[in-house]
């Protein structure tokens, strides 16, 4: 009996060791299978987060190492995207550390400059416009069809890129006072570029009207191949729907459903309208706030119901679009895309050129973020909102494009950045 009692613990120890070794080999595979099934049950391939995609790769590499190969299981998750169109959307969301620390709020930026077409949120719009036109048989790839658009730059760059990828050509009309690097980039992308003098929207030579008329002339001409298609970014529903179906859901998902406010400027109104319509459909408590540059009438449209700014008085305006060095946002007229979301906008901030330049310099100095002018306006407004709401809130805004598109104009005025020790956020926002 004594011998039997001594054997039992030994056998139990051996069994425990064997079980541990077996579970060690079995558990990682079990965990991978569980994660994979959970993703399959809740997510389609196009909806995967970047983190999910990286986890799939990590699981596959680990499994490959254990099994003696490194073949990634394609399964139901396609990790190789189809053309540059597949690189549009699902942009990262990250915390701007300096602004978050200064305000006590979590200020998050959606990095729309990482869209894989033209490097701005206009990639989403360009792709949406073209897809809708194809579905309606208004565009046929590789048929000679040409897409015409009037734009201050970013939409044109996105259209030129996506057009080339999908078998079309682009004809871009833009005001002659826009940063020269934009038109130079458009030419490198194979677009035809016509720079026209700034003019009132009622003038036939206004850049939007010029593009519309050229599209009609192309379609009517028996000598030109294909048809002329006017993209009409200011009025088409394909604009705001791109953000209702893409940007808005991405933001809510990336925030885990926890968001207090969304801040954005408006160039056509499509981004703020699309995101607002989606977020408000999920929670009426989410604040939607407009960031508007000086000289634009949208701030007054939200605050007072009229499109008027003192800088628009006859004889005082330097240019016909918006009296600001900021490009890409701001309007002095009503558009369908803005009006379809106007009633959902809770508040607005007017950002001066000095505030925008100061914020742009701050972002480089404190965070290494080299942003364009509209992004600087967005961040200035988001910071003002954070100070108004008080600590503990989560605010999302957009970084629309890189500062490399604004070198000759906005950044020429903002100047070089280098070790500014006395940089104070409050002094920037009070300018």
């Amino acid at each position: 009996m004594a011998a039997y009692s001594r054997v039992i613990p030994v056998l139990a120890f051996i069994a425990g060791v064997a079980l541990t070794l077996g579970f060690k080999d079995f558990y990682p595979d079990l965990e991978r299978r569980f994660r994979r099934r959970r993703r399959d049950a809740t997510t389609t391939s196009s909806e995967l987060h970047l983190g999910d995609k990286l986890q799939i790769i990590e699981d596959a590499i680990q499994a490959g190492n254990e099994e003696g190969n490194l073949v990634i299981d394609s399964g139901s998750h396609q990790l190789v995207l189809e053309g540059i169109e597949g690189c549009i959307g699902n942009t990262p969301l990250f915390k701007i550390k300096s602004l978050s620390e200064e305000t006590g709020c979590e200020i998050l930026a959606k990095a729309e400059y990482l869209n894989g077409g033209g490097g701005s949120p206009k990639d989403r719009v360009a792709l949406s416009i073209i897809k809708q036109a194809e579905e309606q048989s208004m565009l046929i790839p590789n048929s000679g069809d040409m897409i015409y658009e009037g734009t201050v730059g970013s939409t044109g760059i996105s259209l030129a890129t996506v057009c080339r990828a999908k078998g079309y050509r682009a004809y871009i009309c833009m005001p002659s006072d826009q940063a020269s690097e934009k038109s130079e980039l458009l030419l490198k992308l194979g677009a035809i570029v016509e720079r026209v003098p700034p003019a009132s929207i009622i003038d036939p030579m206004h850049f939007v009207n010029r593009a519309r008329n050229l599209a009609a002339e192309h379609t009517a001409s028996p000598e030109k191949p294909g048809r002329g298609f006017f993209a009409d970014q200011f009025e088409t529903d394909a604009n705001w729907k791109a953000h209702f179906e893409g940007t808005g859901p991405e933001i809510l998902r990336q925030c885990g459903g926890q968001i207090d406010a969304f801040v954005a400027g408006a160039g056509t109104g499509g981004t703020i309208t699309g995101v607002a319509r989606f977020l408000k459909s999920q929670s009426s408590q989410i604040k939607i706030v407009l960031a508007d540059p000086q000289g634009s009438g949208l701030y007054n449209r939200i605050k007072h119901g009229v499109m008027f700014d003192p800088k628009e008085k006859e004889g005082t305006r330097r240019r016909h679009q918006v009296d600001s060095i900021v490009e890409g946002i701001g309007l002095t007229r009503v558009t369908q895309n803005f009006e379809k979301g106007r009633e959902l906008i809770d508040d607005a901030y007017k950002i001066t050129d000095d505030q925008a330049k100061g914020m742009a310099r701050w972002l480089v100095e404190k965070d290494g973020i080299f942003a364009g002018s509209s992004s600087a306006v967005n961040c200035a407004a988001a910071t003002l909102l954070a100070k108004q709401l008080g600590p503990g809130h989560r605010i999302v805004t957009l970084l629309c494009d890189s500062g490399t598109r604004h070198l000759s104009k906005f950044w020429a005025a903002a100047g070089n950045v280098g070790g500014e020790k006395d940089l104070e956020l409050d002094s920037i926002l009070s300018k």
Side-chain angles (χ1 to χ4, degrees):
M1 185 61 132
Y4 180 75
S5 299
R6 287 193 297 272
V7 170
I8 292 298
V10 173
L11 292 175
F13 175 76
I14 293 172
V17 171
L19 182 61
T20 299
L21 291 174
F23 188 71
K24 175 178 175 293
D25 292 332
F26 172 71
Y27 176 74
D29 181 64
L30 181 65
E31 184 183 20
R32 282 194 300 272
R33 290 174 183 271
F34 172 74
R35 283 199 298 249
R36 188 180 300 122
R37 287 180 179 177
R38 184 174 62 180
R39 284 193 299 263
D40 289 344
T42 61
T43 322
T44 66
S45 175
S46 62
E47 294 172 337
L48 284 176
H49 295 266
L50 177 61
D52 290 332
K53 295 178 181 179
L54 293 176
Q55 187 63 60
I56 294 170
I57 295 171
E58 180 184 332
D59 291 348
I61 291 175
Q62 185 177 350
N65 283 329
E66 292 170 359
E67 297 166 12
N69 63 76
L70 288 175
V71 177
I72 296 179
D73 175 22
S74 59
S76 62
H77 299 299
Q78 181 66 34
L79 297 177
V80 178
L81 301 171
E82 190 71 20
I84 63 164
E85 308 98 301
C87 303
I88 295 173
N90 290 308
T91 53
L93 184 73
F94 69 92
K95 181 167 74 172
I96 302 180
K97 293 185 291 184
S98 69
L99 298 181
S100 299
E101 291 167 3
E102 287 279 336
T103 62
C105 288
E106 196 173 23
I107 297 182
L108 308 180
K110 190 153 175 62
E112 287 294 279
Y113 63 89
L114 293 179
N115 273 298
S120 82
K122 297 300 185 180
D123 286 357
R124 301 174 186 267
V125 177
L127 187 59
S128 178
I129 289 173
I130 291 174
K131 281 185 173 180
Q132 179 173 288
E134 288 177 337
E135 290 168 0
Q136 296 172 353
S137 300
M138 298 175 71
L139 284 174
I140 301 173
N142 304 307
S143 66
D145 287 352
M146 180 173 284
I147 298 176
Y148 292 79
E149 182 58 302
T151 169
V152 295
S154 289
T155 302
I157 293 167
S158 295
L159 275 171
T161 307
V162 179
C163 278
R164 283 294 176 178
K166 294 184 69 66
Y168 305 103
R169 292 194 67 194
Y171 192 116
I172 305 301
C173 299
M174 63 188 302
S176 58
D177 62 351
Q178 298 300 289
S180 59
E181 51 265 36
K182 293 182 180 180
S183 58
E184 290 170 6
L185 177 55
L186 283 164
L187 291 170
K188 299 299 185 291
L189 291 170
I192 299 173
V193 181
E194 182 176 341
R195 293 174 70 96
V196 299
S200 167
I201 187 62
I202 62 174
D203 191 321
M205 284 303 294
H206 182 276
F207 64 100
V208 173
N209 296 333
R210 176 66 175 161
R212 180 188 292 108
N213 294 336
L214 286 172
E217 290 173 12
H218 182 141
T219 300
S221 173
E223 299 177 359
K224 292 185 177 180
R227 290 170 292 185
F229 174 78
F230 177 50
D232 201 15
Q233 61 164 326
F234 289 91
E235 310 300 331
T236 177
D237 283 347
N239 186 338
W240 69 262
K241 285 181 178 178
H243 300 288
F244 179 83
E245 296 169 358
T247 317
E250 288 171 29
I251 288 171
L252 193 67
R253 186 178 66 234
Q254 289 169 321
C255 287
Q258 302 300 313
I259 173 175
D260 295 300
F262 173 72
V263 179
T268 62
T271 301
I272 196 167
T273 288
V275 174
R277 289 179 70 141
F278 177 80
L279 292 180
K280 288 287 193 180
S281 73
Q282 304 300 305
S283 171
S284 61
Q285 300 304 308
I286 299 173
K287 289 178 67 70
I288 306 298
V289 178
L290 172 72
D292 208 33
Q294 68 179 51
S296 170
L298 297 181
Y299 170 86
N300 288 295
R301 181 70 170 164
I302 297 301
K303 301 291 279 188
H304 310 297
V306 295
M307 292 283 286
F308 175 78
D309 183 274
K311 289 187 175 61
E312 295 174 35
K313 289 186 297 184
E314 190 68 30
T316 66
R317 298 177 63 195
R318 295 193 303 270
R319 55 191 299 267
H320 293 275
Q321 177 67 6
V322 175
D323 193 7
S324 169
I325 62 170
V326 172
E327 296 182 352
I329 57 173
L331 282 170
T332 56
R333 63 185 177 91
V334 173
T335 67
Q336 281 291 100
N337 272 281
F338 185 77
E339 285 301 294
K340 288 191 174 181
R342 179 172 62 88
E343 293 184 355
L344 300 176
I345 300 174
D346 300 293
D347 204 353
Y349 288 97
K350 174 77 74 177
I351 305 300
T352 67
D353 283 354
D354 286 340
Q355 287 173 319
K357 289 184 292 184
M359 178 56 69
R361 294 172 64 86
W362 171 279
L363 291 172
V364 173
E365 186 72 43
K366 302 295 185 180
D367 298 276
I369 298 171
F370 186 48
S373 56
S374 60
S375 300
V377 170
N378 286 346
C379 289
T383 305
L384 288 170
L385 176 63
K387 288 181 172 293
Q388 177 185 323
L389 294 179
H393 293 86
R394 175 179 278 181
I395 300 167
V396 175
T397 191
L398 303 181
L399 295 181
C400 302
D401 60 6
S402 166
T404 56
R405 292 187 184 173
H406 302 259
L407 293 174
S408 66
K409 188 176 178 183
F410 177 78
W411 270 102
N416 296 331
V417 177
E420 298 179 67
K421 297 180 181 179
D422 59 344
L423 203 60
E424 296 290 338
L425 190 59
D426 285 340
S427 65
I428 289 173
L429 297 176
S430 63
K431 291 181 179 179

